Amino acid sequence: MKKMILVTSPPACGKTYISKQLAKELKHVVYLDKDTVIPLSNRVFKAGGQEINRSSDFFEENIRDYEYEVTVNFGLEALEYDDIVLINAPFTREVHDEKFLKDFSKKLADHGAKLVVIWVVKTIDYSIPEALKKMSSCLDLMLFYNSSDEEYQKSMEMVISRLEDE
C-alpha cells in the first residue's frame, strides 16, 4: 500500500537528519521538506510589504497554512508516481488536531494511501500529542528515539523494517 510519512517532532529533535536518512534507506520514496517553499514565502512577505518574520501575525494569516497545503499537495501528486512520500515538517498544530488527522487519513485513503506518522523523541520531556495517541488505531504511529547513537540506530532499523514489510 502507498504511504505518506510525516516525520514530525518538536524543534531540535533531529527531524531533518532522520528524515533524510530514512529517505536514503527506503526504496521508491519521494522526499519533501516543507522548508523548500521558504524562498516563495519570503517573497510573499516582501510583496506584502512586511518584514520576514515567521512568528508574525502576517505569517500566520497569509503563509503558514499554505506552506503545508502546497507541501502536502506535492506529496499527493508524487503518490501518483511512487509508493512512498516522506514529508519533513513540524506539523506542529496538525499533530494535535484529531479532526485534521482523521480528515487527512481519509483524504489519503481516497488516494489509495495510508498515513504514517513518525514522532521523533529526543528526550523524555517530549510527550506524544494526545491526538496522535487517540488516532494510533487509525494511522501508523512510530516513535523514533534519538537521544543516543544506540537509540537512533535501533529506531532506524525498526522504522525501515516496518515500512518495508507492509
Side-chain angles (χ1 to χ4, degrees), residues 26-161:
L26 292 168
K27 297 170 184 70
H28 306 287
V29 65
V30 174
Y31 173 83
L32 299 173
D33 188 329
K34 186 186 72 64
D35 287 351
T36 303
V37 299
I38 287 177
L40 180 59
S41 299
N42 288 346
R43 186 66 193 129
V44 173
F45 278 115
K46 288 182 181 183
Q50 300 290 313
E51 173 187 343
I52 296 173
N53 179 352
R54 297 180 68 77
S55 299
S56 68
D57 290 341
F58 183 85
F59 175 78
E60 289 296 321
E61 293 168 16
N62 298 287
I63 300 173
R64 189 241 184 236
D65 292 345
Y66 298 103
E67 286 184 349
Y68 282 93
E69 183 179 344
V70 165
T71 304
V72 167
N73 286 344
F74 281 141
L76 290 171
E77 187 172 356
L79 281 173
E80 297 292 321
Y81 304 97
D82 220 330
D83 296 333
I84 300 173
V85 169
L86 187 151
I87 298 177
N88 171 19
F91 285 94
T92 310
R93 289 185 202 134
E94 293 78 4
V95 296
H96 289 89
D97 183 343
E98 195 173 342
K99 181 180 179 333
F100 169 85
L101 292 169
K102 284 180 183 176
D103 292 348
F104 193 42
S105 292
K106 169 134 181 27
K107 185 176 190 173
L108 287 171
D110 292 345
H111 284 83
K114 176 176 159 181
L115 177 60
V116 177
V117 177
I118 297 175
W119 181 256
V120 180
V121 180
K122 177 92 175 186
T123 67
I124 57 173
D125 295 337
Y126 293 123
S127 58
I128 303 165
E130 284 301 314
L132 283 179
K133 284 183 190 176
K134 288 180 181 177
M135 291 293 298
S136 64
S137 64
C138 303
L139 57 83
D140 206 351
L141 173 64
M142 297 180 209
L143 301 181
F144 195 110
Y145 294 96
N146 192 33
S147 296
S148 69
D149 289 343
E150 184 180 342
E151 278 187 351
Y152 167 87
Q153 194 58 42
K154 285 182 181 176
S155 291
M156 181 63 73
E157 290 169 10
M158 180 274 300
V159 167
I160 294 295
S161 174

